[in-house]
């Protein structure tokens, strides 16, 4: 059993490593794949008023090492990364690592709040199914899941921020600034998670053991907890994907509310072709995805428990 697990872990780890290298290499080639002069883009990002003369562009190419080509830049970035150096921003000239860490911290805080909203909403959608013992969350959950985050963010900003003045509309200066972005991200995610769990519950509640437990006088709360424990293991990877999506896919919401998260940082770096900052941001998101996937797999194994016949 253990040797089989080791054999399965090896190819999976190799596949993840290959995908990680492929994505990092693709990001490193973006300035050349876009068919735009990266020196001109960096010049405009540094100073929109500076004239794009041949001398100015040549100075930027020499300063950034663009004349050496993309492969040389990728190799240099990879060697620096092995030493823990994420490089220096082409636009601001500051170290990339502090910017990436700061953006990731903001996005993780927003992700935690949005995930709390999503789990709460999913619980509300699932509760009627547990009470009735049949049915599903239906069209309402599907409608919530289909609402675009940027549209919900815009409506929340206008209604709760501008018209009613209940909450701040932009920035990141305290817990109050977290509410509207978390709602905009958490409501569609909660609709999706609620629909998944609610659709899987009726089949479990129709199983023979539920009838036996009810006949034995087991409380409804205990039966509901056991049913959820049977339903959740196959859905835990979906929860992990939702958590990663709340971090990396929150670019539109971060733009609407001017949240300095990792998604907004990556988007700004892509627009200005700030290659080191973009590579650092994408690498942070990829590592976050790997960690979330590993955590989801561990949680799923804990919920399933040890396999039958496993020796102590």
């Amino acid at each position: 059993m253990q040797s089989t697990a080791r054999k399965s872990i090896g190819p999976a780890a190799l596949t993840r490593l290959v995908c990680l290298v492929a994505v990092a290499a693709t990001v490193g080639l973006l300035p050349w794949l876009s068919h735009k002069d990266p020196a001109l883009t960096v010049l405009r990002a540094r100073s929109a008023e500076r004239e794009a003369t041949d001398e100015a562009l040549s100075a930027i190419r020499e300063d950034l090492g663009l004349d050496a080509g993309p492969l040389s830049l990728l190799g240099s970035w990879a060697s620096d990364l092995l030493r823990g150096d994420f490089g220096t921003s082409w636009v601001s000239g500051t170290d990339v690592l502090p910017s990436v860490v700061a953006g990731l911290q903001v996005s993780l805080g927003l992700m935690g709040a949005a995930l709390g909203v999503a789990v709460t909403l999913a619980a509300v959608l699932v509760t009627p199914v547990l009470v009735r013992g049949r049915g599903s969350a239906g069209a309402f959950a599907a409608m919530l899941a289909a609402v675009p985050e940027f549209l919900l963010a815009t409506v929340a900003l206008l209604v709760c921020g501008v018209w009613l003045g209940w909450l701040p509309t932009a920035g990141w200066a305290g817990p109050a600034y977290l509410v509207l972005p978390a709602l905009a991200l958490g409501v569609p995610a909660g609709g999706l998670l609620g629909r998944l769990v609610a659709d899987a519950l009726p089949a479990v509640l129709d199983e023979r053991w539920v009838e036996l437990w009810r006949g034995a006088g087991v409380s409804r709360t205990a039966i509901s907890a056991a049913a959820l424990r049977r339903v959740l293991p196959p859905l835990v990877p979906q929860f992990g994907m939702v958590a990663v999506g709340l971090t990396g896919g929150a670019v539109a919401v971060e733009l609407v509310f001017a949240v300095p998260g990792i998604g907004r940082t990556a988007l700004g770096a892509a627009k200005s072709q700030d290659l080191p900052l973009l590579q650092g941001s994408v690498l942070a998101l990829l590592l976050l995805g790997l960690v979330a996937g590993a955590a989801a797999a561990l949680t799923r194994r804990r919920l399933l428990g040890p396999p039958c016949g496993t020796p102590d």
Side-chain angles (χ1 to χ4, degrees):
M1 182 72 68
Q2 292 180 352
S3 61
T4 304
R6 291 193 187 99
K7 290 180 181 179
S8 63
I9 290 174
L14 181 61
T15 301
R16 294 186 181 96
L17 180 61
V18 170
C19 293
L20 187 66
V21 172
V23 172
T26 303
V27 172
L29 295 174
L30 283 180
W32 288 269
L33 295 175
S34 64
H35 302 292
K36 295 180 181 180
D37 187 359
L40 178 59
T41 307
V42 171
L43 177 65
R44 295 303 185 200
R46 288 180 176 179
S47 177
E49 299 177 355
R50 187 176 178 183
E51 185 178 355
T53 62
D54 292 337
E55 292 79 7
L57 295 177
S58 298
I60 290 179
R61 293 190 186 98
E62 182 179 357
D63 179 47
L64 303 180
L66 294 174
D67 293 333
L71 296 181
S72 176
L73 285 176
L74 276 174
S76 177
W77 177 75
S79 62
D80 291 340
L81 186 64
L82 292 177
R83 297 193 298 268
D85 183 8
F86 277 60
T88 303
S89 171
W90 285 0
V91 176
S92 64
T94 59
D95 290 338
V96 167
L97 185 57
S99 299
V100 171
V101 171
L104 188 60
Q105 288 176 341
V106 171
S107 292
L108 287 177
L110 179 58
M111 179 198 74
L115 196 59
V117 172
V119 172
T120 302
L121 179 58
V124 171
L125 294 173
V126 168
T127 298
V129 181
L130 291 173
V131 172
R132 295 193 305 265
R134 56 184 176 79
S136 69
F140 181 66
M143 180 187 67
L144 293 178
V147 175
E149 288 87 349
F150 74 90
L151 177 60
L152 190 58
T154 303
V155 173
L157 184 147
L158 290 176
V159 175
C160 298
V162 177
W163 294 346
L164 300 177
W166 289 347
L167 294 165
T169 59
W172 190 261
Y177 292 81
L178 188 65
V179 177
L180 293 181
L183 287 174
L185 288 171
V187 168
L192 173 62
L193 297 179
R195 180 64 186 268
L196 291 174
V197 177
D199 285 349
L201 272 175
V204 173
L205 293 174
D206 287 338
E207 292 176 353
R208 177 64 175 169
W209 66 269
V210 176
E211 183 179 350
L212 293 175
W213 282 29
R214 288 172 179 165
V218 178
S219 66
R220 177 176 293 179
T221 301
I223 295 176
S224 298
L228 287 173
R229 188 179 178 86
R230 284 184 58 83
V231 164
L232 288 180
L235 301 179
V236 167
Q238 296 287 341
F239 279 70
M241 292 178 62
V242 168
V244 175
L246 290 175
T247 304
V251 180
V253 174
E254 291 178 357
L255 287 176
V256 170
F257 294 104
V259 176
I262 191 68
R264 187 182 174 201
T265 299
L267 180 61
K271 287 182 177 179
S272 61
Q273 294 195 16
D274 191 347
L275 189 57
L277 183 57
L278 178 60
Q279 287 175 317
S281 301
V282 172
L283 181 62
L285 290 172
L286 291 175
L287 293 176
L288 176 63
L290 292 177
V291 171
L298 178 61
T299 303
R300 182 175 181 271
R301 285 197 295 268
R302 293 294 297 272
L303 288 173
L304 289 173
C308 296
T310 300
D312 294 335

